[in-house]
């Protein structure tokens, strides 16, 4: 199939970018979206032009490196998948596709479609850990019984890959879904209780410092999240935060 | 006395602690929770206001009695009324502050943006429906609140327990005013459609009752404004 691409090109963090039009022909519906961009880039390199820079790593939906706002949606029109898992059969011959970087003040563009998501790393560093020494004195995983429901919810929260689609989708560029997933995965487990109070206070503080917006519960994050992280986690984080504020 | 002090502590101490912990509403979650609590407070006031107004359709004397009670009871006049006014001011000031902050969090906009793909119009435009409700409150105060204050505390008119119904019905003679009230209530319905369930999510309630809270919210958002519209139209077309 033949497509018309409208891609955001930006030389570096300080340049002004703009949308550039590209026509691409003979795209196979079996290609992934990133393979389609690879084909485009090969043709650009052959013509002696700069290829379009975009983020990717595992290409199997587990690392959270790929991004892209595709026709107004992070990770494109498909649900529950990352851009690397998005297939061209979701598009039709003759379609126009807008490809833009994730937009948020806290995610500055580095080049073309690549944004700096290290704000997420700093939120994680502020409290997304347990200070249990696991080297040399590993405890049997089943030694501490955890009820099935909590274990399942903690696991679901832990499937967040930190891709930033929630921020990209949110009209307020809020990072509440990501942060709440990272808080929840510990809050639900006994191993997470030692630092529970400081964890939520510090992670929320860092989240605010990075310049993300305030959640207004539009629910866009939950719908666009490739891992189906639930808004329940945000409610849980708010509860944890209020409880921690009262204790602290 | 002891009970009161305990209750006051239970209500205000957590709030003071949250505020000082995070520097007077300096945290996104504290601000959001304050916004939600003020919203829930306004919702409960709205229900009371609706129930009182609705009596005007059924019985003139009941409406007069209730209005007189609300307008002269010192607890309501000098405690509840200031709390309500502060609550409204807090809610819309905080609403505007949050809107400005949220707009700052994304400085370069998407060229292609289709919000409807993942969220509802009402959830994304609380500021628009809210500002219309605010404009309506201006008109509403001009219509009812200022004349009441002047009547009672400026001109010191003698208490008249039967005037309320006639004064109210008189206001709904004007088709323009009636129309503005109707439009405002439609916008209020939209504000509440999202706001009701949103405020419960914000204060951390998301559990097996959540589907019920959603349904309750949608019902409230439709029934109460529709009821207000009915009252306005009833007096415009039938009483007048
Ligand atoms: C009687 C009138 C009003 C009622 C009953 C009401 C109720 C509510 C409720 C329940 C919420 C949800 C809170 C949350 O999501 O946490 C809300 C949010 C909001 N309200 Fe109102 N409101 C009223 C008037 C206004 C007015 C006059 C404004 C003026 C600007 C306004 C602006 C907003 C905004 C911007 C939000 C979204 C903020 C957010 O979700 O963070 N509201 N309102
Ligand atoms: S919550 Fe979902 S959208 Fe947000 S970073 Fe995690 S996986 Fe990505
Ligand atoms: S490249 Fe790893 S998730 Fe897409």
């Amino acid at each position: 199939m033949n497509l018309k691409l409208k891609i955001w090109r930006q030389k570096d963090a300080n340049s002004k970018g703009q949308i550039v039009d590209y026509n691409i022909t003979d795209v196979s519906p079996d290609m992934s979206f990133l393979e389609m961009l690879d084909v485009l880039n090969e043709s650009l390199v052959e013509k002696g032009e700069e290829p379009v820079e975009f983020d990717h790593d595992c290409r199997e939906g587990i690392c959270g490196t790929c991004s892209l706002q595709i026709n107004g949606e992070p990770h494109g029109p498909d649900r529950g998948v990352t851009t690397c898992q998005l297939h061209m059969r979701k598009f039709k011959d003759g379609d126009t596709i807008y490809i833009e970087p994730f937009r948020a003040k806290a995610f500055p563009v580095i080049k073309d479609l690549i944004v700096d998501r290290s704000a997420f790393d700093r939120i994680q560093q502020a409290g997304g850990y347990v200070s249990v020494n696991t080297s040399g004195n590993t405890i049997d995983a089943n030694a501490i019984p955890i009820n099935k429901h909590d274990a399942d919810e903690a696991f679901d929260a832990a499937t967040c890959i930190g891709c930033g689609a929630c921020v990209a989708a949110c009209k307020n560029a809020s990072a509440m879904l990501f942060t709440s997933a990272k808080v929840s995965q510990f809050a639900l487990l006994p191993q997470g209780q030692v630092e529970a109070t400081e964890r939520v206070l510090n992670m929320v503080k860092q989240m605010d410092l990075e310049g993300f917006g305030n959640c207004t519960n539009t629910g866009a994050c939950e719908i666009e999240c490739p891992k189906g992280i639930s808004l329940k986690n945000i409610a849980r984080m708010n509860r944890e935060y209020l409880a921690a504020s009262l204790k602290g | 006395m002891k009970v009161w002090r305990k209750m006051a502590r239970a209500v205000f101490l957590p709030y003071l602690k949250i505020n000082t912990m995070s520097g007077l509403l300096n945290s996104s979650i504290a601000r959001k929770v304050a916004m939600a609590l003020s919203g829930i407070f306004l919702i409960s006031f709205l229900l009371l206001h609706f129930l009182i107004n609705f009596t005007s359709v059924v019985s003139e004397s009941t409406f007069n009695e209730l209005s007189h009670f609300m307008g002269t009871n010192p607890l309501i006049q000098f405690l509840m009324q200031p709390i309500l006014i502060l609550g409204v001011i807090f809610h819309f000031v905080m609403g505007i502050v949050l809107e400005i902050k949220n707009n700052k969090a994304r400085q370069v906009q998407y060229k292609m943006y289709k919000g409807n793909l993942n969220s509802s119009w009402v959830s994304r435009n609380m500021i628009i429906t809210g500002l219309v409700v605010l404009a309506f409150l201006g008109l509403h105060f001009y219509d009812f609140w200022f004349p009441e204050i002047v009547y009672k505390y400026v001109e010191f008119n003698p208490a008249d327990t039967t005037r309320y119904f006639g004064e109210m019905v008189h206001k709904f003679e004007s088709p323009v005013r009636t129309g503005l009230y109707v439009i405002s209530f439609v916008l209020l319905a939209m504000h509440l459609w999202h706001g009701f369930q949103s405020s419960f999510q914000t204060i951390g309630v998301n559990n097996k009752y959540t589907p019920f809270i959603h349904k309750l919210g949608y019902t409230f958002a439709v029934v109460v404004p529709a009821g207000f519209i009915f009252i306005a139209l009833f007096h415009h077309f039938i009483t007048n």
Side-chain angles (χ1 to χ4, degrees), chain A:
Chain A
M1 53 191 188
N2 301 332
L3 300 165
K4 200 169 170 195
L5 305 177
K6 289 179 163 292
I7 303 180
W8 183 262
R9 303 300 311 259
Q10 181 171 335
K11 205 163 137 265
D12 53 40
N14 302 318
S15 316
K16 244 182 87 93
Q18 87 271 10
I19 293 278
V20 177
D21 290 3
Y22 298 93
N23 288 312
I24 181 164
T25 51
D26 293 328
V27 175
S28 154
D30 295 332
M31 280 181 183
S32 80
F33 200 84
L34 297 185
E35 282 165 342
M36 183 275 293
L37 287 178
D38 291 337
V39 172
L40 173 74
N41 276 346
E42 271 172 34
S43 75
L44 290 179
V45 171
E46 270 170 31
K47 280 191 273 181
E49 291 175 33
E50 281 257 321
V52 178
E53 300 263 357
F54 59 89
D55 264 327
H56 60 99
D57 189 9
C58 70
R59 295 211 180 194
E60 54 186 4
I62 54 170
C63 72
T65 309
C66 59
S67 55
L68 305 183
Q69 189 83 356
I70 300 164
N71 274 347
E73 288 183 276
H75 300 301
D78 211 356
R79 293 283 173 255
V81 297
T82 52
T83 296
C84 58
Q85 299 169 295
L86 175 68
H87 282 88
M88 294 315 293
R89 52 180 166 268
K90 297 284 161 186
F91 300 89
K92 289 192 310 290
D93 186 40
D95 275 0
T96 300
I97 307 176
Y98 277 81
I99 309 171
E100 298 173 75
F102 284 178
R103 295 284 188 203
K105 184 173 155 240
F107 287 170
V109 173
I110 298 172
K111 185 171 171 127
D112 293 340
L113 302 169
I114 299 184
V115 298
D116 178 358
R117 284 170 284 182
S118 56
F120 270 12
D121 300 342
R122 291 186 291 272
I123 294 176
Q124 187 73 347
Q125 282 156 8
Y129 51 80
V130 285
S131 45
V132 176
N133 186 359
T134 49
S135 60
N137 53 353
T138 325
I139 302 164
D140 180 73
N142 294 322
I144 306 171
I146 298 166
N147 80 56
K148 172 94 173 97
H149 177 262
D150 287 352
D152 285 350
E153 295 227 322
F155 185 82
D156 285 348
T159 60
C160 163
I161 51 175
C163 64
C166 42
V167 174
C170 176
K171 87 180 232 304
N172 311 313
S174 165
M176 292 277 279
L177 194 65
F178 165 78
T179 311
S180 70
K182 298 300 172 197
V183 166
S184 288
Q185 79 185 51
F186 296 113
L188 286 157
L189 300 178
Q191 291 86 342
Q193 300 315 307
V194 183
E195 298 93 352
T197 307
E198 310 98 84
R199 176 181 303 113
V200 64
L201 293 175
N202 291 340
M203 288 179 84
V204 169
K205 193 167 160 206
Q206 190 63 36
M207 175 183 85
D208 289 346
L209 279 176
E210 298 291 347
F212 293 106
N214 300 271
C215 171
T216 55
N217 302 324
T218 68
C221 54
E222 182 185 53
I223 294 197
E224 298 295 353
C225 171
K227 298 296 162 187
I229 301 293
S230 159
L231 291 180
K232 267 188 176 177
N233 292 296
I234 297 184
R236 182 180 297 110
M237 175 166 74
N238 290 6
R239 288 198 300 276
E240 291 277 321
Y241 185 85
L242 292 175
S245 302
L246 298 183
K247 266 192 240 155

Side-chain angles (χ1 to χ4, degrees), chain B:
Chain B
M1 205 56 219
K2 249 188 159 172
V3 180
W4 283 109
R5 208 177 297 154
K6 260 196 188 154
M7 276 173 65
R9 268 178 73 91
V11 173
F12 292 111
L13 197 69
Y15 216 77
L16 291 177
K17 274 203 172 178
I18 289 166
N19 284 349
T20 44
M21 258 310 293
S22 40
L24 215 70
L25 293 189
N26 225 344
S27 110
S28 57
I29 296 183
R31 277 191 297 261
K32 276 292 304 175
V33 169
M35 185 75 198
L37 291 177
S38 64
I40 293 174
F41 171 66
L42 292 181
I43 285 174
S44 40
F45 158 74
L46 200 68
L47 183 63
L48 178 69
H49 197 340
F50 171 68
L51 293 176
I52 293 176
N53 284 18
F54 196 76
T55 63
S56 73
V57 173
V58 191
S59 150
E60 177 174 341
S61 59
T62 312
F63 179 73
N64 277 333
E65 274 165 39
L66 287 172
S67 302
H68 189 70
F69 172 78
M70 296 302 281
T72 50
N73 183 292
L75 206 63
I76 289 169
Q77 279 293 294
F78 302 113
L79 182 68
M80 293 314 283
Q81 179 163 280
I83 293 180
L84 174 64
I85 293 177
L86 287 178
V88 173
I89 294 175
F90 178 86
H91 184 79
F92 80 76
V93 170
M94 192 54 109
I96 293 169
V97 168
L98 284 175
E99 179 69 20
I100 293 170
K101 281 186 173 290
N102 288 344
N103 286 340
K104 281 199 190 138
R106 174 168 296 124
Q107 283 159 339
V108 183
Q109 300 301 318
Y110 291 114
K111 297 283 173 209
M112 169 59 82
Y113 178 74
K114 290 191 215 138
N116 285 332
L117 292 173
N118 51 33
S119 54
S120 66
W121 190 92
V122 285
S123 74
R124 280 177 281 121
N125 293 283
M126 291 297 275
I127 189 70
I128 295 180
T129 51
L131 285 177
V132 175
V133 174
L134 182 63
F136 163 78
L137 287 180
L139 172 69
H140 194 53
F141 267 57
Y142 168 81
D143 280 348
F144 292 96
W145 195 75
F146 290 116
E148 270 300 302
I149 297 297
V150 170
Y151 186 95
K152 282 188 297 205
Y153 307 122
V154 180
E155 295 171 354
F156 291 106
N157 287 307
D160 172 358
T161 53
T162 57
R163 65 193 167 89
Y164 304 95
F165 185 81
E167 283 174 2
M168 186 266 300
V169 166
H170 172 69
K171 293 279 195 266
F172 288 104
E173 260 170 37
S174 151
V176 176
R177 179 180 282 105
T178 309
L180 287 176
Y181 272 62
V182 170
I183 295 169
S184 307
F185 286 126
V186 172
L187 273 288
L188 176 64
M190 294 162 82
H191 197 76
L192 293 172
W193 186 268
H194 177 67
F196 193 105
Q197 51 92 8
S198 167
S199 43
F200 284 90
Q201 161 78 10
T202 298
I203 59 174
V205 182
N206 190 329
N207 52 32
K208 63 176 192 276
Y209 301 111
T210 298
F212 169 74
I213 293 174
H214 279 232
K215 278 191 204 114
L216 184 70
Y218 298 144
T219 311
F220 186 93
V222 171
V223 171
V224 171
F228 274 115
I229 291 176
F230 170 74
I231 297 168
L233 294 179
F234 184 86
H235 293 310
H236 179 69
F237 287 111
I238 299 180
T239 317
N240 270 301

